[in-house]
Amino acid sequence: MQYVWDFRPVWLNFGVLLEGLVNTLKLSGFSIGLGLVIGLVLAMGRLAPTRFLSIPATAIIEFYRNTPPLVHFFWYFYGLPILTGISLTPFAAAAAALSVQSGAFFAEVFRGGIVSVERGQWEAGRAIGMGHAQLMRRVILPQAFRRMIPPLMERSFELVKTTSLAATLTYGELVYKAMVLATQTYRPMEIYSTVAVMFFTVLFLASLGMRAVEHRLARRAAR
Amino acid sequence: MANVLPADVLPADATPVLAVEGLRKSFGTNEVLKGIDLKVGAGERIAILGSSGSGKSTFLRCINFMETPSAGRIALDGTPIGTEGRNGALTAKSGELRRLRTRVGMIFQQFNLFPHMSVLENVMEGPVTVKGLPKAEARAKAQDYLKRVGLAEKADQYPQRLSGGQQQRVAIARALAMEPEILLFDEPTSSLDPELVGEVLDVILGLSREGRTMLLVTHELGFAYHFATRVLFLHEGRIHEQGTPDEVLKNPREERTQAFLHRFSAFHF
């Protein structure tokens, strides 16, 4: 069997795909930003000296890490209106699901970075009278941050790809636009391949940029 | 030398700067400190000796609550630190810990300077963050203390550019900047190359001339002799012998102390 590739429908509708890409990036950017905040809060909670904070934070982290993201999307979009009467737009539901879920993963990255700071640093901070919060802010987090960058990038790329699940909530991101185009043009092979190339281009360029940043940080650290 | 005040010679009416009573510390089922009593008068310099595992570092770390005592009492200027919990262990609230640690400074074997801060920032950090001193004032003070340890010209360097001896001197300046009443040195020269030990010991001797109250855990017997007003020999979590440097280091009464000192001087020639 000989398949004849025809990319004309893709070029004719490229604007639609670009619009989808922009929406994907919007959802990603928003969710990464909010996810980092949630992650930091969860990590601080998990590492807090009191159980009142560490147990709930640990529970949230483990729950979200060990359940499929598609289910979270459905909860926020379909479940929330049923249970509370609050209905979210597809964007809001997707952003909520993504940020909390990636927040749980980010929290583990933060925690890993924090506990990797040598014991002597914690002791030196305590020995001059620092409290837990001061110690975190002034001594631990600035050192942990550099070590967290590579795994945070990894998680963020993962999140960008997971935004495609928002298609199931009819949010007009790249994969949703592609689904619509595929049914209109009967050219799913060409359209989805183009989508893959678009994702690849964006994420690959981003990773090159990040590598440059890491390189500069490493040079600065070696000063 | 001034202020030679072994425990039983301390004037009866003088409140000791530091009083330790029945101090015990266990890690799990392993009891490292088995009841330590010690009264330290103002200006006393105490060298703590003992083989590894004798509990000397743990004892020092209990004084500023880097380790929480499992039992006993610790008092600064007559004021007890922490409250006794149900299991007898001492607990201290964060505010109390902060006050304690601004009064009792500590110098570590591994220096533990903050690598993301310059030398000057390391010394300023405590006064600014913990004591709330204005930055300009803290900077001036930090520069003074760096001058005291002979490192004024390194103020803008980062710690990793400094030799071990220089790092330890910065760590001493960092502790001094908090203007503590008592300084604790936990094997301050044990991780230094032999040729760098001298510069750190010189700084510590300089401090002893200022009449500071200091407790020092060390393996440098010769230094302990010149530094201390009193020498403690710890063995299996108890003070096995104590007295003036001459008494403990030159004429030890106890067999264990003799054996310890003998081992350390085995290679002298």
Side-chain angles (χ1 to χ4, degrees):
Chain A
M1 200 180 90
Q2 187 78 12
Y3 183 75
V4 182
W5 293 83
D6 179 6
F7 278 94
R8 263 173 309 169
V10 174
W11 307 136
L12 287 174
N13 298 294
F14 201 63
V16 178
L17 290 180
L18 275 182
E19 195 191 323
L21 181 64
V22 168
N23 285 340
T24 292
L25 293 180
K26 250 197 271 179
L27 180 59
S28 304
F30 185 86
S31 307
I32 289 170
L34 190 58
L36 287 172
V37 174
I38 293 173
L40 190 60
V41 170
L42 286 175
M44 289 297 139
R46 185 160 191 177
L47 290 168
T50 59
R51 283 183 194 183
F52 287 110
L53 292 174
S54 67
I55 290 177
T58 306
I60 294 172
I61 289 168
E62 291 307 327
F63 182 78
Y64 272 93
R65 283 176 65 203
N66 297 303
T67 42
L70 187 59
V71 174
H72 308 151
F73 278 76
F74 286 164
W75 275 334
Y76 283 98
F77 194 60
Y78 301 114
L80 213 57
I82 296 170
L83 294 176
T84 66
I86 302 167
S87 52
L88 299 177
T89 64
F91 176 83
L98 276 172
S99 1
V100 180
Q101 193 237 2
S102 51
F105 281 98
F106 286 142
E108 285 302 274
V109 174
F110 285 130
R111 190 174 70 101
I114 288 166
V115 299
S116 79
V117 174
E118 296 73 22
R119 205 174 73 132
Q121 291 294 310
W122 299 76
E123 296 201 331
R126 287 195 191 113
I128 55 172
M130 286 186 178
H132 188 76
Q134 289 174 330
L135 185 62
M136 281 291 172
R137 189 168 48 83
R138 299 290 308 168
V139 178
I140 304 302
L141 285 178
Q143 294 183 61
F145 186 64
R146 277 181 195 160
R147 307 171 198 198
M148 293 171 188
I149 291 175
L152 285 180
M153 283 309 300
E154 194 65 34
R155 275 319 308 176
S156 300
F157 287 10
E158 204 59 46
L159 182 145
V160 173
K161 288 180 277 172
T162 313
T163 55
S164 57
L165 292 178
T168 58
L169 310 185
T170 71
Y171 174 64
E173 50 68 67
L174 185 50
V175 170
Y176 181 76
K177 297 283 187 193
M179 279 161 60
V180 173
L181 277 186
T183 52
Q184 287 170 356
T185 63
Y186 303 108
R187 284 287 166 188
M189 285 282 280
E190 287 82 350
I191 287 167
Y192 287 121
S193 302
T194 307
V195 164
V197 171
M198 289 169 89
F199 267 106
F200 175 82
T201 308
V202 167
L203 291 179
F204 188 67
L205 288 179
S207 74
L208 287 184
M210 256 345 272
R211 220 167 293 167
V213 171
E214 266 172 53
H215 204 74
R216 271 190 33 202
L217 280 177
R219 267 217 314 258
R220 252 183 45 198
R223 112 196 97 177
Chain B
M1 240 176 234
N3 295 317
V4 185
L5 297 170
D8 39 353
V9 188
L10 202 68
D13 55 336
T15 306
V17 182
L18 170 72
V20 177
E21 265 179 59
L23 177 67
R24 288 172 181 273
K25 175 66 184 174
S26 301
F27 296 100
T29 55
N30 179 25
E31 190 170 50
V32 177
L33 299 180
K34 297 174 180 163
I36 290 193
D37 300 291
L38 181 70
K39 287 195 171 78
V40 182
E44 265 201 285
R45 298 184 295 279
I46 297 183
I48 303 169
L49 310 177
S51 43
S52 64
S54 60
K56 55 194 191 304
S57 277
T58 305
F59 171 48
L60 206 66
R61 292 165 57 82
C62 279
I63 295 174
N64 67 345
F65 276 59
M66 295 303 281
E67 305 289 352
T68 317
S70 307
R73 277 168 204 270
I74 293 176
L76 277 186
D77 277 332
T79 312
I81 307 295
T83 48
E84 208 171 297
R86 265 167 301 172
N87 53 1
L90 292 181
T91 55
K93 293 226 165 64
S94 57
E96 198 176 12
L97 282 180
R98 195 187 67 236
R99 282 192 299 277
L100 166 68
R101 287 168 182 165
T102 54
R103 297 175 63 185
V104 181
M106 185 167 221
I107 285 93
F108 301 90
Q109 185 179 341
Q110 301 292 344
F111 336 130
N112 299 339
L113 294 180
F114 304 130
H116 57 299
M117 298 181 191
S118 72
V119 162
L120 188 71
E121 287 165 344
N122 263 279
V123 181
M124 288 169 63
E125 184 58 26
V128 172
T129 302
V130 179
K131 285 190 158 177
L133 226 63
K135 276 206 171 155
E137 199 178 318
R139 182 170 296 119
K141 223 171 233 187
Q143 275 156 348
D144 274 355
Y145 283 114
L146 282 175
K147 208 178 290 170
R148 282 266 272 293
V149 299
L151 290 172
E153 79 285 2
K154 300 285 185 191
D156 296 322
Q157 296 269 347
Y158 279 77
Q160 49 271 49
R161 280 287 176 84
L162 270 50
S163 73
Q166 291 171 332
Q167 290 191 42
Q168 190 61 300
R169 283 148 66 195
V170 174
I172 293 173
R174 177 174 66 178
L176 288 174
M178 295 302 285
E179 303 184 327
E181 295 147 54
I182 301 175
L183 276 176
L184 309 175
F185 293 86
D186 190 4
E187 303 200 33
T189 59
S190 294
S191 58
L192 292 177
D193 291 335
E195 74 269 23
L196 301 178
V197 169
E199 60 186 81
V200 173
L201 296 184
D202 280 346
V203 168
I204 300 175
L205 272 184
L207 296 176
S208 68
R209 274 176 231 118
E210 298 170 9
R212 284 179 181 274
T213 312
M214 299 191 267
L215 284 82
L216 170 120
V217 169
T218 187
H219 289 294
E220 307 272 344
L221 299 185
F223 178 70
Y225 181 81
H226 292 291
F227 160 84
T229 53
R230 181 160 34 141
V231 176
L232 306 185
F233 176 69
L234 254 66
H235 180 67
E236 291 180 352
R238 290 193 179 86
I239 296 177
H240 199 67
E241 180 165 358
Q242 62 174 311
T244 64
D246 275 313
E247 286 165 359
V248 178
L249 294 170
K250 290 200 163 161
N251 304 297
R253 280 162 296 159
E254 303 289 334
E255 216 172 284
R256 298 264 186 212
T257 321
Q258 288 162 6
F260 173 83
L261 293 173
H262 185 74
R263 243 182 300 135
F264 266 84
S265 48
F267 292 106
H268 280 190
F269 51 86

PDB file of all heavy atoms in Angstrom, chain B residues 139-159:
ATOM      1  N   ARG B 139      28.045  45.999  58.395  1.00  0.00           N
ATOM      2  CA  ARG B 139      29.200  45.931  57.492  1.00  0.00           C
ATOM      3  C   ARG B 139      30.455  46.435  58.216  1.00  0.00           C
ATOM      4  O   ARG B 139      31.500  45.793  58.179  1.00  0.00           O
ATOM      5  CB  ARG B 139      28.936  46.759  56.236  1.00  0.00           C
ATOM      6  CG  ARG B 139      30.082  46.693  55.235  1.00  0.00           C
ATOM      7  CD  ARG B 139      29.741  47.313  53.891  1.00  0.00           C
ATOM      8  NE  ARG B 139      28.678  46.595  53.225  1.00  0.00           N
ATOM      9  CZ  ARG B 139      27.506  47.122  52.902  1.00  0.00           C
ATOM     10  NH1 ARG B 139      27.249  48.379  53.190  1.00  0.00           N
ATOM     11  NH2 ARG B 139      26.588  46.398  52.302  1.00  0.00           N
ATOM     12  N   ALA B 140      30.333  47.566  58.883  1.00  0.00           N
ATOM     13  CA  ALA B 140      31.482  48.138  59.589  1.00  0.00           C
ATOM     14  C   ALA B 140      31.996  47.157  60.638  1.00  0.00           C
ATOM     15  O   ALA B 140      33.194  46.907  60.774  1.00  0.00           O
ATOM     16  CB  ALA B 140      31.084  49.463  60.235  1.00  0.00           C
ATOM     17  N   LYS B 141      31.054  46.567  61.361  1.00  0.00           N
ATOM     18  CA  LYS B 141      31.418  45.609  62.391  1.00  0.00           C
ATOM     19  C   LYS B 141      32.093  44.379  61.793  1.00  0.00           C
ATOM     20  O   LYS B 141      33.102  43.900  62.295  1.00  0.00           O
ATOM     21  CB  LYS B 141      30.135  45.171  63.112  1.00  0.00           C
ATOM     22  CG  LYS B 141      30.309  45.099  64.600  1.00  0.00           C
ATOM     23  CD  LYS B 141      28.984  44.883  65.266  1.00  0.00           C
ATOM     24  CE  LYS B 141      28.779  45.932  66.334  1.00  0.00           C
ATOM     25  NZ  LYS B 141      27.589  45.697  67.136  1.00  0.00           N
ATOM     26  N   ALA B 142      31.515  43.889  60.685  1.00  0.00           N
ATOM     27  CA  ALA B 142      32.072  42.702  60.025  1.00  0.00           C
ATOM     28  C   ALA B 142      33.493  42.980  59.570  1.00  0.00           C
ATOM     29  O   ALA B 142      34.380  42.130  59.705  1.00  0.00           O
ATOM     30  CB  ALA B 142      31.191  42.303  58.843  1.00  0.00           C
ATOM     31  N   GLN B 143      33.723  44.188  59.041  1.00  0.00           N
ATOM     32  CA  GLN B 143      35.079  44.528  58.604  1.00  0.00           C
ATOM     33  C   GLN B 143      36.055  44.532  59.783  1.00  0.00           C
ATOM     34  O   GLN B 143      37.173  44.055  59.667  1.00  0.00           O
ATOM     35  CB  GLN B 143      35.073  45.883  57.880  1.00  0.00           C
ATOM     36  CG  GLN B 143      34.729  45.713  56.412  1.00  0.00           C
ATOM     37  CD  GLN B 143      34.136  46.962  55.777  1.00  0.00           C
ATOM     38  OE1 GLN B 143      33.771  47.908  56.470  1.00  0.00           O
ATOM     39  NE2 GLN B 143      34.058  46.955  54.461  1.00  0.00           N
ATOM     40  N   ASP B 144      35.584  45.041  60.932  1.00  0.00           N
ATOM     41  CA  ASP B 144      36.402  45.006  62.147  1.00  0.00           C
ATOM     42  C   ASP B 144      36.791  43.587  62.521  1.00  0.00           C
ATOM     43  O   ASP B 144      37.947  43.298  62.802  1.00  0.00           O
ATOM     44  CB  ASP B 144      35.620  45.601  63.327  1.00  0.00           C
ATOM     45  CG  ASP B 144      35.767  47.104  63.379  1.00  0.00           C
ATOM     46  OD1 ASP B 144      36.547  47.643  62.556  1.00  0.00           O
ATOM     47  OD2 ASP B 144      35.104  47.729  64.229  1.00  0.00           O
ATOM     48  N   TYR B 145      35.792  42.702  62.532  1.00  0.00           N
ATOM     49  CA  TYR B 145      36.063  41.331  62.949  1.00  0.00           C
ATOM     50  C   TYR B 145      36.955  40.617  61.947  1.00  0.00           C
ATOM     51  O   TYR B 145      37.793  39.805  62.327  1.00  0.00           O
ATOM     52  CB  TYR B 145      34.752  40.563  63.186  1.00  0.00           C
ATOM     53  CG  TYR B 145      34.116  40.951  64.494  1.00  0.00           C
ATOM     54  CD1 TYR B 145      32.902  41.617  64.533  1.00  0.00           C
ATOM     55  CD2 TYR B 145      34.751  40.671  65.695  1.00  0.00           C
ATOM     56  CE1 TYR B 145      32.323  41.995  65.738  1.00  0.00           C
ATOM     57  CE2 TYR B 145      34.202  41.041  66.897  1.00  0.00           C
ATOM     58  CZ  TYR B 145      32.984  41.702  66.919  1.00  0.00           C
ATOM     59  OH  TYR B 145      32.433  42.066  68.106  1.00  0.00           O
ATOM     60  N   LEU B 146      36.795  40.939  60.663  1.00  0.00           N
ATOM     61  CA  LEU B 146      37.679  40.326  59.665  1.00  0.00           C
ATOM     62  C   LEU B 146      39.111  40.800  59.878  1.00  0.00           C
ATOM     63  O   LEU B 146      40.061  40.047  59.712  1.00  0.00           O
ATOM     64  CB  LEU B 146      37.199  40.667  58.249  1.00  0.00           C
ATOM     65  CG  LEU B 146      36.011  39.856  57.755  1.00  0.00           C
ATOM     66  CD1 LEU B 146      35.545  40.345  56.402  1.00  0.00           C
ATOM     67  CD2 LEU B 146      36.358  38.368  57.689  1.00  0.00           C
ATOM     68  N   LYS B 147      39.254  42.064  60.252  1.00  0.00           N
ATOM     69  CA  LYS B 147      40.586  42.586  60.546  1.00  0.00           C
ATOM     70  C   LYS B 147      41.181  41.810  61.734  1.00  0.00           C
ATOM     71  O   LYS B 147      42.347  41.445  61.744  1.00  0.00           O
ATOM     72  CB  LYS B 147      40.475  44.083  60.872  1.00  0.00           C
ATOM     73  CG  LYS B 147      41.751  44.871  60.538  1.00  0.00           C
ATOM     74  CD  LYS B 147      41.591  46.357  60.819  1.00  0.00           C
ATOM     75  CE  LYS B 147      40.643  47.063  59.863  1.00  0.00           C
ATOM     76  NZ  LYS B 147      40.324  48.435  60.304  1.00  0.00           N
ATOM     77  N   ARG B 148      40.326  41.545  62.744  1.00  0.00           N
ATOM     78  CA  ARG B 148      40.778  40.821  63.934  1.00  0.00           C
ATOM     79  C   ARG B 148      41.344  39.453  63.603  1.00  0.00           C
ATOM     80  O   ARG B 148      42.287  38.995  64.238  1.00  0.00           O
ATOM     81  CB  ARG B 148      39.612  40.604  64.900  1.00  0.00           C
ATOM     82  CG  ARG B 148      39.245  41.801  65.692  1.00  0.00           C
ATOM     83  CD  ARG B 148      39.944  41.807  67.038  1.00  0.00           C
ATOM     84  NE  ARG B 148      39.191  41.095  68.053  1.00  0.00           N
ATOM     85  CZ  ARG B 148      38.011  41.477  68.540  1.00  0.00           C
ATOM     86  NH1 ARG B 148      37.415  42.557  68.096  1.00  0.00           N
ATOM     87  NH2 ARG B 148      37.424  40.788  69.487  1.00  0.00           N
ATOM     88  N   VAL B 149      40.757  38.782  62.591  1.00  0.00           N
ATOM     89  CA  VAL B 149      41.271  37.458  62.239  1.00  0.00           C
ATOM     90  C   VAL B 149      42.257  37.558  61.073  1.00  0.00           C
ATOM     91  O   VAL B 149      42.640  36.550  60.474  1.00  0.00           O
ATOM     92  CB  VAL B 149      40.124  36.459  61.894  1.00  0.00           C
ATOM     93  CG1 VAL B 149      39.211  36.290  63.094  1.00  0.00           C
ATOM     94  CG2 VAL B 149      39.341  36.921  60.673  1.00  0.00           C
ATOM     95  N   GLY B 150      42.634  38.782  60.730  1.00  0.00           N
ATOM     96  CA  GLY B 150      43.684  38.997  59.736  1.00  0.00           C
ATOM     97  C   GLY B 150      43.253  38.783  58.304  1.00  0.00           C
ATOM     98  O   GLY B 150      44.051  38.421  57.451  1.00  0.00           O
ATOM     99  N   LEU B 151      41.955  38.988  58.017  1.00  0.00           N
ATOM    100  CA  LEU B 151      41.482  38.715  56.662  1.00  0.00           C
ATOM    101  C   LEU B 151      40.721  39.895  56.061  1.00  0.00           C
ATOM    102  O   LEU B 151      39.879  39.710  55.181  1.00  0.00           O
ATOM    103  CB  LEU B 151      40.589  37.468  56.657  1.00  0.00           C
ATOM    104  CG  LEU B 151      41.316  36.152  56.899  1.00  0.00           C
ATOM    105  CD1 LEU B 151      40.318  35.017  57.075  1.00  0.00           C
ATOM    106  CD2 LEU B 151      42.258  35.843  55.745  1.00  0.00           C
ATOM    107  N   ALA B 152      41.037  41.110  56.501  1.00  0.00           N
ATOM    108  CA  ALA B 152      40.314  42.282  56.002  1.00  0.00           C
ATOM    109  C   ALA B 152      40.360  42.356  54.480  1.00  0.00           C
ATOM    110  O   ALA B 152      39.374  42.713  53.836  1.00  0.00           O
ATOM    111  CB  ALA B 152      40.898  43.551  56.617  1.00  0.00           C
ATOM    112  N   GLU B 153      41.503  41.945  53.909  1.00  0.00           N
ATOM    113  CA  GLU B 153      41.644  42.118  52.441  1.00  0.00           C
ATOM    114  C   GLU B 153      40.873  41.054  51.658  1.00  0.00           C
ATOM    115  O   GLU B 153      40.757  41.139  50.450  1.00  0.00           O
ATOM    116  CB  GLU B 153      43.127  42.142  52.051  1.00  0.00           C
ATOM    117  CG  GLU B 153      43.820  40.802  51.972  1.00  0.00           C
ATOM    118  CD  GLU B 153      44.125  40.184  53.339  1.00  0.00           C
ATOM    119  OE1 GLU B 153      43.776  40.778  54.400  1.00  0.00           O
ATOM    120  OE2 GLU B 153      44.711  39.095  53.366  1.00  0.00           O
ATOM    121  N   LYS B 154      40.329  40.045  52.361  1.00  0.00           N
ATOM    122  CA  LYS B 154      39.576  38.994  51.652  1.00  0.00           C
ATOM    123  C   LYS B 154      38.069  39.244  51.670  1.00  0.00           C
ATOM    124  O   LYS B 154      37.300  38.388  51.220  1.00  0.00           O
ATOM    125  CB  LYS B 154      39.848  37.625  52.301  1.00  0.00           C
ATOM    126  CG  LYS B 154      41.299  37.206  52.289  1.00  0.00           C
ATOM    127  CD  LYS B 154      41.722  36.754  50.920  1.00  0.00           C
ATOM    128  CE  LYS B 154      43.150  36.222  50.953  1.00  0.00           C
ATOM    129  NZ  LYS B 154      43.673  36.010  49.591  1.00  0.00           N
ATOM    130  N   ALA B 155      37.642  40.388  52.172  1.00  0.00           N
ATOM    131  CA  ALA B 155      36.214  40.644  52.409  1.00  0.00           C
ATOM    132  C   ALA B 155      35.325  40.334  51.206  1.00  0.00           C
ATOM    133  O   ALA B 155      34.241  39.783  51.360  1.00  0.00           O
ATOM    134  CB  ALA B 155      36.009  42.093  52.856  1.00  0.00           C
ATOM    135  N   ASP B 156      35.792  40.658  50.005  1.00  0.00           N
ATOM    136  CA  ASP B 156      34.925  40.500  48.834  1.00  0.00           C
ATOM    137  C   ASP B 156      35.098  39.172  48.114  1.00  0.00           C
ATOM    138  O   ASP B 156      34.444  38.922  47.102  1.00  0.00           O
ATOM    139  CB  ASP B 156      35.161  41.656  47.863  1.00  0.00           C
ATOM    140  CG  ASP B 156      34.765  42.986  48.503  1.00  0.00           C
ATOM    141  OD1 ASP B 156      33.759  43.003  49.243  1.00  0.00           O
ATOM    142  OD2 ASP B 156      35.478  43.986  48.285  1.00  0.00           O
ATOM    143  N   GLN B 157      35.988  38.330  48.634  1.00  0.00           N
ATOM    144  CA  GLN B 157      36.178  37.015  48.020  1.00  0.00           C
ATOM    145  C   GLN B 157      35.032  36.081  48.397  1.00  0.00           C
ATOM    146  O   GLN B 157      34.316  36.329  49.364  1.00  0.00           O
ATOM    147  CB  GLN B 157      37.484  36.394  48.540  1.00  0.00           C
ATOM    148  CG  GLN B 157      38.730  37.144  48.155  1.00  0.00           C
ATOM    149  CD  GLN B 157      39.321  36.652  46.841  1.00  0.00           C
ATOM    150  OE1 GLN B 157      38.925  35.593  46.356  1.00  0.00           O
ATOM    151  NE2 GLN B 157      40.237  37.418  46.285  1.00  0.00           N
ATOM    152  N   TYR B 158      34.908  34.991  47.648  1.00  0.00           N
ATOM    153  CA  TYR B 158      33.961  33.947  48.034  1.00  0.00           C
ATOM    154  C   TYR B 158      34.727  32.835  48.754  1.00  0.00           C
ATOM    155  O   TYR B 158      35.901  32.603  48.455  1.00  0.00           O
ATOM    156  CB  TYR B 158      33.215  33.431  46.804  1.00  0.00           C
ATOM    157  CG  TYR B 158      32.081  34.374  46.462  1.00  0.00           C
ATOM    158  CD1 TYR B 158      32.339  35.581  45.818  1.00  0.00           C
ATOM    159  CD2 TYR B 158      30.787  34.101  46.864  1.00  0.00           C
ATOM    160  CE1 TYR B 158      31.319  36.470  45.559  1.00  0.00           C
ATOM    161  CE2 TYR B 158      29.753  34.990  46.612  1.00  0.00           C
ATOM    162  CZ  TYR B 158      30.026  36.178  45.955  1.00  0.00           C
ATOM    163  OH  TYR B 158      29.012  37.047  45.723  1.00  0.00           O
ATOM    164  N   PRO B 159      34.080  32.169  49.700  1.00  0.00           N
ATOM    165  CA  PRO B 159      34.787  31.211  50.565  1.00  0.00           C
ATOM    166  C   PRO B 159      35.611  30.177  49.807  1.00  0.00           C
ATOM    167  O   PRO B 159      36.717  29.857  50.222  1.00  0.00           O
ATOM    168  CB  PRO B 159      33.652  30.545  51.346  1.00  0.00           C
ATOM    169  CG  PRO B 159      32.572  31.554  51.374  1.00  0.00           C
ATOM    170  CD  PRO B 159      32.679  32.323  50.086  1.00  0.00           C
TER     171      PRO B 159
END
